Amino acid sequence: MAGAASALFLLDIKGRVLVWRDYRGDVSAAQAERFFTKLIEKEGDPQSQDPVVYDNGVTYMFIQHSNVYLMTATRQNCNAASLLFFLHRVVDVFKHYFEELEEESLRDNFVVVYELLDEIMDFGYPQYTEAKILSEFIKTDAYRMEVTQRPPMAVTNAVSWRSEGINYKKNEVFLDVVESVNILVNSNGQIIRSDVVGALKMRTYLRLSIYLGSIILFSGMPECKLGLNDRVLLEAQGRATKGKAIDLEDIKFHQCVRLARFENDRTISFIPPDGSFDLMTYRLSTQVKPLIWVEAQVEKHSRSRVEIMVKARSQFKERSTATNVEIMVPVPADASSPNVRTSMGSAAYAPENDALLWKIRSFPGGKEYMLRAEFTLPSITDEEATQERKAPIRVKFEIPYFTVSGIQVCL
C-alpha cells in the first residue's frame, strides 16, 4: 500500500460520529462533518455513488452498511481498493462480535469497538482482520475468561488466519461449488448478457500427524492442494482441452492461497483456516442457454379484461431438478380480480409488485408447465396516460449438484 489511512470513522445515518480512531494525527473529528457535507451536496449528482470523495487535500473512502457509514480519511496517496476492501472486512469482524452491525450495537459495545480498532489497524496500515483470531484475545463479556490470555501465536505468525495446536480425531474436508447464473434475454429470444459467478466454499476440520519414532506429534498447520480443469493448466501439460477445460476470469483467492505457486503451475496450495471460508471466487463470460425457458402471451379484450398464458420449460438433463422456482410475470398496474390456474405449483397476485408470482417447489429436467391467468381491467382509462412500461419476466431457481461452467475440482 502506497500510503496509510489517517483515521477511521463510524458515523450514523445523519453523519454524526459514533466512534472514531485517529492513527496518524493529521486529521480531526471535524473532517467527518466535512465529508458528510460533501456527500449531501452530491446527492443529485449521478456520480454520488462513488465510494471515494476528495476535498481540500483529504481523501475520504467509505461504505454504508445498514444505518452506519464506515469511512477512512487520509492525506496520503493510498490504494483505494485496498482500503475499501479493508472496510468490508471490518464489517465482517463487527458482525462476528455483535451479530448485526447497526448504530445500536456500536453504542452498546463501544469498549469492544475501540479494542478492535486498535488491533485491526496500526498507524494507518491494516493488520489483523480474521474475526476468529481476534476473538481469541479480544473477548466480549460473555466470553471473558478469568485468567489473562496472551495473544495467540497466529497474531505473530506468518499464517495469521489459523491458530496453532488445532487437533481433531479425524480429518474432514467439505467442498461445495456454488455458481450463480445471470442471463438477460430480449423479446425475440436472443441472449443479450450471460455470465457465471462462482465460488469454492470449504469447511475444514483438519489435523496433521507427524511421526517421530513411536511418538505422534500433532501440528495444526496441514497443507492442502487442489487442481482445476483450467485451460491454462491443461495446455501447459500438453493435455487435450476440448470439452473439458474452462477459462476462469476475475479469480480472487482467500489470503491462505500461495499465489506464487498458482502462477507457476496453476496448483492451488494453501494452509486452510479452521471452519468455513470461501477459498476462491471466479467469473466466466460464456454463452449459457437459459436453464428454464419462459414464454408468455398477453391478450387484451376490449379494455375489460386481460388474459395471460405462461409456458415454462426446463432445458437441462432429466437427472437434475430445479428447486424453489419463482417466476414473476408483470401485469398491468390497474389489473384486479385475478383468476389463476396452473398445471404445477401455486400462483398468487402480488399487487405491491404489479406482478403474478408463480412458485414451483420442484421442477425436473425435460418438463413443461403452464399457467393461465385472467385479470379484470377498468372500463374507463386516462387517454393522456403515458404508455405503459413493459417490465421483464424474472426467473429465480436453484439446481443442487449442478454447475453450469463444468468446473471440476481434483483433491
Side-chain angles (χ1 to χ4, degrees):
M1 185 180 296
S6 298
L8 176 61
F9 294 88
L10 304 177
L11 314 173
D12 65 10
I13 200 67
K14 296 182 179 179
R16 294 173 296 199
V17 178
L18 299 173
V19 178
W20 78 292
R21 182 69 171 86
D22 183 9
Y23 293 104
R24 302 183 68 89
D26 55 356
V27 300
S28 64
Q31 305 299 145
E33 183 177 346
R34 293 182 61 85
F35 154 75
F36 204 74
T37 301
K38 294 290 292 185
L39 197 63
I40 294 176
E41 292 175 355
K42 293 182 62 178
E43 280 188 349
D45 189 347
Q47 297 182 349
S48 61
Q49 300 301 318
D50 292 347
V52 180
V53 178
Y54 179 80
D55 177 60
N56 196 27
V58 180
T59 303
Y60 307 94
M61 285 154 280
F62 72 97
I63 63 172
Q64 182 180 1
H65 180 85
S66 185
N67 58 355
V68 176
Y69 285 99
L70 294 89
M71 183 265 290
T72 60
T74 179
R75 294 186 179 274
Q76 299 188 19
N77 183 18
C78 291
N79 187 325
S82 295
L83 285 180
L84 290 173
F85 179 72
F86 168 74
L87 292 178
H88 285 284
R89 294 302 300 266
V90 172
V91 171
D92 294 338
V93 170
F94 286 152
K95 289 174 68 175
H96 174 81
Y97 273 85
F98 314 135
E99 296 295 336
E100 290 295 333
L101 174 56
E102 295 181 352
E103 177 184 347
E104 183 178 356
S105 62
L106 292 176
R107 293 185 183 277
D108 291 343
N109 299 279
F110 71 93
V111 175
V112 179
V113 171
Y114 274 112
E115 288 188 62
L116 291 171
L117 294 183
D118 285 337
E119 296 295 338
I120 61 180
M121 180 170 277
D122 184 20
F123 200 54
Y125 294 97
Q127 299 295 314
Y128 317 113
T129 56
E130 287 292 333
K132 290 183 179 179
I133 302 301
L134 288 168
S135 61
E136 292 188 22
F137 63 99
I138 298 181
K139 301 178 181 294
T140 59
D141 290 341
Y143 296 98
R144 183 174 299 162
M145 302 181 68
E146 295 181 359
V147 296
T148 303
Q149 295 292 309
R150 65 181 182 87
M153 289 297 295
V155 173
T156 56
N157 190 13
V159 186
S160 62
W161 54 87
R162 184 180 179 91
S163 299
E164 291 188 342
I166 296 176
N167 187 23
Y168 293 97
K169 293 183 178 179
K170 61 179 179 178
N171 290 323
E172 292 182 311
V173 176
F174 302 91
L175 174 63
D176 294 317
V177 180
V178 180
E179 291 186 342
S180 300
V181 184
N182 301 304
I183 302 177
L184 182 63
V185 183
N186 64 14
S187 58
N188 298 324
Q190 297 175 336
I191 298 177
I192 300 175
R193 181 174 61 86
S194 172
D195 58 54
V196 180
V197 179
L200 268 61
K201 297 181 177 291
M202 294 193 72
R203 284 183 295 147
T204 59
Y205 308 98
L206 297 174
R207 63 185 175 91
L208 180 61
S209 301
I210 300 178
Y211 290 86
L212 183 60
S214 60
I215 303 176
I216 301 178
L217 303 178
F218 293 100
S219 168
M221 298 295 170
E223 182 171 347
C224 301
K225 294 181 182 179
L226 294 179
L228 303 174
N229 56 331
D230 182 17
R231 186 180 301 276
V232 177
L233 172 61
L234 296 181
E235 290 179 350
Q237 295 175 347
R239 298 162 59 184
T241 60
K242 185 177 180 181
K244 294 182 179 180
I246 59 175
D247 294 313
L248 299 176
E249 303 175 16
D250 296 340
I251 301 175
K252 186 178 74 172
F253 289 111
H254 189 275
Q255 61 177 322
C256 66
V257 176
R258 295 184 173 93
L259 299 181
R261 178 73 181 273
F262 181 78
E263 290 293 334
N264 290 335
D265 57 13
R266 308 295 283 188
T267 300
I268 304 175
S269 175
F270 58 98
I271 297 175
D274 184 48
S276 303
F277 68 102
D278 288 352
L279 177 66
M280 182 184 82
T281 60
Y282 59 91
R283 181 178 64 85
L284 284 85
S285 297
T286 182
Q287 193 80 347
V288 178
K289 71 175 183 179
L291 298 175
I292 295 181
W293 183 262
V294 178
E295 297 178 1
Q297 295 180 357
V298 180
E299 185 177 355
K300 290 188 177 181
H301 299 275
S302 64
R303 295 185 180 180
S304 61
R305 62 190 178 91
V306 59
E307 284 185 299
I308 301 176
M309 185 182 72
V310 181
K311 182 189 299 183
R313 182 175 68 255
S314 56
Q315 300 190 129
F316 47 88
K317 296 181 180 180
E318 295 182 358
R319 65 171 178 261
S320 298
T321 301
T323 60
N324 301 322
V325 180
E326 294 185 1
I327 303 174
M328 184 172 287
V329 182
V331 300
D334 52 359
S336 61
S337 304
N339 182 14
V340 185
R341 301 182 303 277
T342 64
S343 61
M344 178 61 68
S346 61
Y349 177 44
E352 67 278 6
N353 297 321
D354 294 330
L356 186 66
L357 185 59
W358 184 12
K359 294 184 178 181
I360 304 174
R361 180 171 297 180
S362 178
F363 201 142
K367 297 292 184 179
E368 181 176 292
Y369 299 126
M370 301 281 294
L371 175 145
R372 295 179 183 272
E374 182 176 315
F375 291 86
T376 301
L377 298 177
S379 58
I380 301 176
T381 59
D382 185 2
E383 296 181 356
E384 298 181 358
T386 57
Q387 187 176 3
E388 184 178 0
R389 181 180 62 88
K390 294 182 179 180
I393 297 176
R394 301 180 183 274
V395 185
K396 185 172 65 172
F397 56 92
E398 300 174 357
I399 305 181
Y401 312 109
F402 181 87
T403 59
V404 177
S405 66
I407 188 172
Q408 297 177 6
V409 182
C410 178
L411 293 173

